[in-house]
């Protein structure tokens, strides 16, 4: 009989193992058995908690998005101006936690899976909506076209992230600086 309270611990271990396995394989070409072994449990137990690889991957991406959300909220907590809010959102998108090798692999897989998996596509749209919404809110007092500028910045953030993550010399700081310079240009063009 399982110990009471073990389910959240085991689920968390499986999520962490999924991220690590995807990072090691640099793709979703991993098995539930590999994930379970890394988590120190049986394949049957992994299936019991999640059902299958797609569900474990989905849980792993939700975990990564919660970490990203926490990063954004922490940065926004000290932002006292609209410009500081927009900058905080951009900086959070290029935080060191977003560039851990396993996290990069999970994000790349996330984008690919969103093309064929409706649940994953919905999760990606939710991330994109939140990013756009947060940027729009920050840009309202700064821009005559906050929706359009937010859309431009969100696309730039995603593009710069992909480029930095996939380059030989991963440069999150350079990518962040490029996005911050674009923010300044957008605001200056509205003055």
């Amino acid at each position: 009989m399982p110990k009471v309270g073990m389910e959240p611990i085991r689920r968390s271990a499986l999520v962490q193992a999924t991220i690590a396995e995807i990072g090691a394989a640099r793709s979703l070409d991993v098995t539930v058995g590999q994930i379970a072994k890394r988590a120190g449990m049986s394949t049957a137990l992994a299936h019991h908690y999640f059902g299958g690889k797609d569900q474990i991957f989905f849980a792993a991406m939700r975990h990564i998005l919660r970490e990203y959300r926490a990063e954004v909220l922490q940065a926004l907590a000290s932002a006292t101006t609209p410009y500081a809010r927009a900058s905080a959102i951009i900086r959070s998108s290029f935080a060191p936690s977003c560039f851990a090798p396993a996290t990069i692999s999970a994000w790349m897989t996330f984008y690919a899976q969103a093309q064929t998996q409706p649940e994953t596509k919905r999760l990606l749209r939710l991330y994109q909506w939140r990013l756009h919404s947060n940027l729009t809110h920050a840009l309202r007092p700064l821009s005559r076209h906050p929706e359009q500028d937010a859309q431009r910045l969100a696309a730039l953030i995603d593009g710069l992230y992909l480029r930095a993550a996939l380059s030989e010399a991963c440069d999150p700081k350079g990518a962040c600086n490029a996005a911050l310079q674009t923010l300044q240009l957008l605001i200056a063009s509205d003055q």
Side-chain angles (χ1 to χ4, degrees):
M1 183 165 194
K3 294 179 185 176
V4 176
M6 288 303 291
E7 182 175 349
I9 294 167
R10 289 181 177 150
R11 281 181 173 273
S12 177
L14 284 165
V15 164
Q16 294 300 327
T18 301
I19 295 166
E21 281 297 315
I22 290 169
R26 302 192 82 175
S27 74
L28 197 55
D29 192 22
V30 298
T31 65
V32 175
Q34 291 170 305
I35 293 167
K37 184 177 180 182
R38 186 178 284 258
M41 61 188 80
S42 71
T43 303
L45 200 53
H47 280 288
H48 169 73
Y49 286 124
F50 287 103
K53 184 169 74 171
D54 288 340
Q55 290 83 9
I56 295 173
F57 174 68
F58 186 74
M61 281 315 304
R62 287 183 65 203
H63 172 77
I64 287 171
L65 287 170
R66 277 192 301 273
E67 286 183 336
Y68 170 70
R69 180 177 183 265
E71 191 93 42
V72 171
L73 290 175
Q74 182 180 2
L76 288 174
S78 61
T80 56
T81 66
Y83 181 81
R85 286 183 63 81
S87 296
I89 295 163
I90 291 170
R91 284 191 180 90
S92 297
S93 298
F94 298 99
S97 62
C98 297
F99 284 88
T103 302
I104 290 171
S105 294
W107 270 104
M108 297 304 126
T109 304
F110 182 50
Y111 281 113
Q113 285 286 102
Q115 295 177 349
T116 59
Q117 301 291 326
E119 259 185 79
T120 306
K121 186 175 190 170
R122 183 186 62 75
L123 193 59
L124 178 61
R125 283 188 176 159
L126 181 62
Y127 151 74
Q128 291 170 334
W129 177 82
R130 283 183 179 157
L131 178 59
H132 182 263
S133 175
N134 285 335
L135 286 168
T136 300
H137 175 73
L139 291 170
R140 269 204 183 97
L142 303 171
S143 169
R144 285 183 281 163
H145 310 286
E147 292 273 337
Q148 293 162 327
D149 288 347
Q151 189 67 32
R152 286 184 187 104
L153 281 171
L156 182 67
I157 288 167
D158 285 346
L160 287 170
Y161 177 83
L162 289 170
R163 184 172 280 193
L166 295 173
S167 70
E168 292 294 320
C170 183
D171 183 19
K173 195 174 201 172
C176 182
N177 287 337
L180 289 170
Q181 288 170 357
T182 302
L183 170 65
Q184 291 172 347
L185 289 172
L186 288 172
I187 292 170
S189 71
D190 280 339
Q191 302 301 320

